[in-house]
Coordinates of all heavy atoms in Angstrom, one line a residue:
A1 N -20.0 13.7 -9.2 CA -19.0 12.6 -8.9 C -17.6 13.3 -9.0 O -17.1 13.7 -10.1 CB -19.1 11.5 -9.8
A2 N -17.0 13.6 -7.9 CA -15.8 14.4 -7.9 C -14.8 13.6 -6.9 O -15.1 13.0 -5.8 CB -15.9 15.7 -7.4
F3 N -13.5 13.6 -7.3 CA -12.4 13.0 -6.5 C -11.1 13.6 -6.8 O -10.8 14.1 -7.8 CB -12.4 11.5 -6.7 CG -12.0 11.0 -8.2 CD1 -10.8 10.9 -8.6 CD2 -13.1 10.8 -8.9 CE1 -10.5 10.6 -10.0 CE2 -12.9 10.4 -10.3 CZ -11.5 10.3 -10.7
R4 N -10.2 13.5 -5.9 CA -8.8 13.8 -5.9 C -8.1 12.6 -6.3 O -8.4 11.6 -5.9 CB -8.2 14.4 -4.8 CG -8.8 15.9 -4.3 CD -8.4 16.1 -2.9 NE -7.0 16.3 -2.8 CZ -6.4 16.4 -1.6 NH1 -7.0 16.3 -0.4 NH2 -5.1 16.5 -1.6
F5 N -7.0 12.8 -6.9 CA -6.1 11.6 -7.3 C -4.6 11.8 -7.1 O -4.2 13.0 -7.2 CB -6.4 11.0 -8.8 CG -5.8 11.9 -9.8 CD1 -4.5 11.9 -10.2 CD2 -6.5 12.9 -10.5 CE1 -3.9 12.6 -11.2 CE2 -6.1 13.7 -11.5 CZ -4.7 13.5 -11.8
E6 N -3.9 10.7 -6.8 CA -2.4 10.9 -6.7 C -1.9 9.6 -7.5 O -2.4 8.5 -7.3 CB -1.9 10.7 -5.3 CG -1.9 11.9 -4.5 CD -1.2 11.8 -3.2 OE1 -1.0 10.7 -2.8 OE2 -0.9 12.8 -2.5
L7 N -0.9 9.9 -8.3 CA -0.3 8.7 -9.0 C 1.2 8.8 -8.7 O 1.9 9.7 -8.9 CB -0.6 8.9 -10.6 CG 0.2 7.9 -11.5 CD1 -0.4 6.6 -11.3 CD2 0.0 8.3 -12.9
R8 N 1.7 7.5 -8.3 CA 3.0 7.4 -7.9 C 3.6 6.2 -8.6 O 3.0 5.0 -8.6 CB 3.2 7.3 -6.4 CG 2.9 8.6 -5.7 CD 2.9 8.4 -4.3 NE 4.2 8.2 -3.7 CZ 4.5 8.1 -2.5 NH1 3.5 8.1 -1.6 NH2 5.7 7.8 -2.0
E9 N 4.9 6.3 -9.2 CA 5.5 5.1 -9.7 C 6.1 4.4 -8.5 O 6.6 4.9 -7.7 CB 6.5 5.4 -10.7 CG 6.0 5.9 -12.1 CD 6.9 5.8 -13.1 OE1 8.1 5.9 -12.9 OE2 6.5 5.8 -14.3
D10 N 6.1 3.1 -8.5 CA 6.3 2.2 -7.4 C 7.8 1.9 -7.3 O 8.6 2.2 -6.4 CB 5.4 1.0 -7.3 CG 5.6 0.1 -6.1 OD1 6.6 0.3 -5.3 OD2 5.1 -1.0 -6.0
G11 N 8.2 1.2 -8.4 CA 9.6 0.8 -8.4 C 9.9 -0.5 -7.6 O 11.1 -1.1 -7.6
L12 N 8.9 -1.1 -6.9 CA 9.1 -2.2 -6.0 C 8.2 -3.3 -6.6 O 7.2 -3.1 -7.3 CB 8.6 -1.9 -4.6 CG 9.2 -0.9 -3.9 CD1 8.5 -0.5 -2.6 CD2 10.6 -1.2 -3.6
P13 N 8.8 -4.6 -6.5 CA 8.0 -5.7 -7.2 C 6.7 -5.9 -6.5 O 5.8 -6.4 -7.1 CB 9.0 -7.0 -6.9 CG 10.0 -6.4 -5.8 CD 10.0 -5.0 -5.9
E14 N 6.6 -5.7 -5.2 CA 5.4 -5.9 -4.4 C 5.2 -4.8 -3.5 O 6.1 -4.1 -3.1 CB 5.6 -7.2 -3.6 CG 5.6 -8.4 -4.6 CD 4.5 -8.7 -5.3 OE1 3.2 -8.2 -5.0 OE2 4.5 -9.4 -6.3
L15 N 4.0 -4.6 -3.0 CA 3.6 -3.6 -2.1 C 2.7 -4.4 -1.1 O 1.9 -5.1 -1.4 CB 2.7 -2.5 -2.8 CG 3.5 -1.2 -3.2 CD1 2.4 -0.2 -3.6 CD2 4.2 -0.6 -2.1
L16 N 3.0 -3.9 0.2 CA 2.2 -4.5 1.2 C 0.7 -4.0 1.0 O 0.4 -2.8 0.6 CB 2.5 -4.1 2.6 CG 4.1 -4.2 2.9 CD1 4.3 -3.8 4.3 CD2 4.4 -5.8 2.7
P17 N -0.4 -4.7 1.5 CA -1.7 -4.2 1.4 C -1.8 -2.9 2.1 O -2.6 -2.1 1.7 CB -2.6 -5.3 2.0 CG -1.7 -6.7 1.9 CD -0.3 -6.3 1.9
Q18 N -1.1 -2.7 3.3 CA -1.1 -1.5 4.1 C -0.8 -0.5 3.3 O -1.0 0.7 3.7 CB -0.4 -1.8 5.4 CG -1.0 -2.8 6.3 CD -0.4 -4.1 5.9 OE1 0.1 -4.5 4.9 NE2 -0.4 -5.1 7.0
A19 N 0.1 -0.6 2.3 CA 0.7 0.6 1.5 C -0.4 1.3 0.8 O -0.2 2.4 0.5 CB 1.9 0.1 0.6
H20 N -1.4 0.5 0.4 CA -2.4 1.3 -0.3 C -3.3 2.2 0.4 O -3.9 3.1 -0.1 CB -3.4 0.1 -1.0 CG -2.6 -0.8 -2.0 ND1 -3.2 -1.8 -2.5 CD2 -1.4 -0.6 -2.6 CE1 -2.3 -2.3 -3.3 NE2 -1.3 -1.6 -3.4
G21 N -3.4 2.0 1.7 CA -4.0 2.8 2.8 C -5.5 3.0 2.3 O -6.1 2.4 1.4
L22 N -6.1 4.0 2.9 CA -7.5 4.5 2.5 C -8.5 3.5 2.5 O -9.5 3.4 1.7 CB -7.4 5.2 1.1 CG -6.4 6.5 1.0 CD1 -6.6 6.9 -0.5 CD2 -6.8 7.5 2.0
G23 N -8.3 2.5 3.3 CA -9.4 1.6 3.6 C -9.6 0.3 2.7 O -10.5 -0.3 2.6
V24 N -8.5 -0.1 2.0 CA -8.5 -1.2 1.2 C -8.5 -2.5 2.1 O -8.0 -2.5 3.2 CB -7.3 -1.3 0.2 CG1 -7.4 0.1 -0.6 CG2 -6.0 -1.4 1.0
D25 N -8.7 -3.6 1.4 CA -8.7 -4.9 2.1 C -7.4 -5.2 2.5 O -6.4 -5.0 1.8 CB -9.3 -6.1 1.1 CG -10.8 -5.7 0.8 OD1 -11.4 -5.1 1.6 OD2 -11.2 -6.3 -0.3
G26 N -7.2 -5.8 3.7 CA -5.9 -6.1 4.2 C -5.1 -4.9 4.9 O -4.1 -5.2 5.5
A27 N -5.7 -3.8 5.0 CA -5.1 -2.7 5.6 C -5.0 -2.8 7.1 O -4.2 -2.2 7.7 CB -5.8 -1.4 5.3
C28 N -5.9 -3.8 7.7 CA -5.9 -3.8 9.1 C -5.2 -5.0 9.7 O -4.8 -5.0 10.9 CB -7.3 -3.8 9.6 SG -8.3 -2.5 9.2
R29 N -4.8 -5.8 8.8 CA -4.0 -7.1 9.4 C -2.7 -6.8 9.8 O -1.9 -5.9 9.3 CB -4.1 -8.1 8.3 CG -3.1 -7.9 7.2 CD -3.0 -9.3 6.5 NE -2.2 -9.1 5.2 CZ -0.9 -9.0 5.3 NH1 -0.2 -9.2 6.4 NH2 -0.3 -9.0 4.1
P30 N -2.2 -7.5 10.9 CA -0.8 -7.2 11.4 C 0.3 -7.7 10.3 O 0.0 -8.6 9.6 CB -0.7 -8.2 12.7 CG -2.2 -8.5 13.0 CD -2.9 -8.5 11.7
C31 N 1.3 -7.0 10.3 CA 2.4 -7.3 9.3 C 3.3 -8.4 9.9 O 3.4 -8.6 11.2 CB 3.4 -6.0 9.2 SG 2.6 -4.5 8.5
S32 N 3.6 -9.2 8.9 CA 4.5 -10.3 9.2 C 5.9 -9.9 9.5 O 6.2 -8.7 9.1 CB 4.5 -11.4 8.1 OG 5.1 -10.8 6.9
D33 N 6.9 -10.6 10.0 CA 8.2 -10.3 10.2 C 8.8 -9.7 8.9 O 9.5 -8.7 8.8 CB 9.0 -11.3 10.8 CG 8.8 -11.5 12.3 OD1 7.8 -10.9 12.9 OD2 9.3 -12.5 12.8
T34 N 8.6 -10.4 7.8 CA 9.2 -10.1 6.6 C 8.6 -8.7 6.1 O 9.4 -7.8 5.6 CB 8.9 -11.1 5.5 OG1 9.4 -12.4 5.8 CG2 9.5 -10.7 4.1
E35 N 7.3 -8.6 6.3 CA 6.7 -7.2 5.9 C 7.3 -6.2 6.7 O 7.3 -4.9 6.3 CB 5.2 -7.3 6.0 CG 4.6 -8.3 4.9 CD 3.1 -8.6 5.1 OE1 2.7 -8.5 6.2 OE2 2.5 -8.9 4.1
L36 N 7.5 -6.3 8.1 CA 8.0 -5.3 9.0 C 9.3 -4.8 8.4 O 9.5 -3.5 8.4 CB 8.2 -5.9 10.4 CG 7.0 -6.2 11.2 CD1 7.2 -6.8 12.6 CD2 6.0 -4.9 11.4
L37 N 10.2 -5.9 8.1 CA 11.5 -5.3 7.6 C 11.5 -4.6 6.3 O 12.1 -3.6 6.0 CB 12.4 -6.5 7.5 CG 12.6 -7.3 8.8 CD1 13.4 -8.6 8.7 CD2 13.4 -6.4 9.8
L38 N 10.6 -5.1 5.4 CA 10.4 -4.4 4.0 C 9.9 -3.0 4.2 O 10.3 -2.1 3.6 CB 9.5 -5.3 3.1 CG 9.2 -4.7 1.8 CD1 10.4 -4.6 1.0 CD2 8.2 -5.6 1.1

């Protein structure tokens, strides 16, 4: 059982589901206008 990891401090109150990347739930749905600007 082997894996690479990356750890980053966010600094943002929220993250879009797409920000998680790598196949998480919500990664495929279109962004809303608010999410586009963010």
Side-chain angles (χ1 to χ4, degrees):
F3 59 88
R4 296 168 60 193
F5 72 85
E6 276 189 350
L7 178 66
R8 297 172 63 180
E9 287 197 340
D10 179 5
L12 300 172
E14 294 294 337
L15 266 184
L16 310 184
Q18 295 88 338
H20 294 169
L22 301 180
V24 300
D25 295 338
C28 302
R29 70 169 178 79
C31 297
S32 66
D33 287 355
T34 300
E35 290 172 337
L36 291 179
L37 298 172
L38 179 61

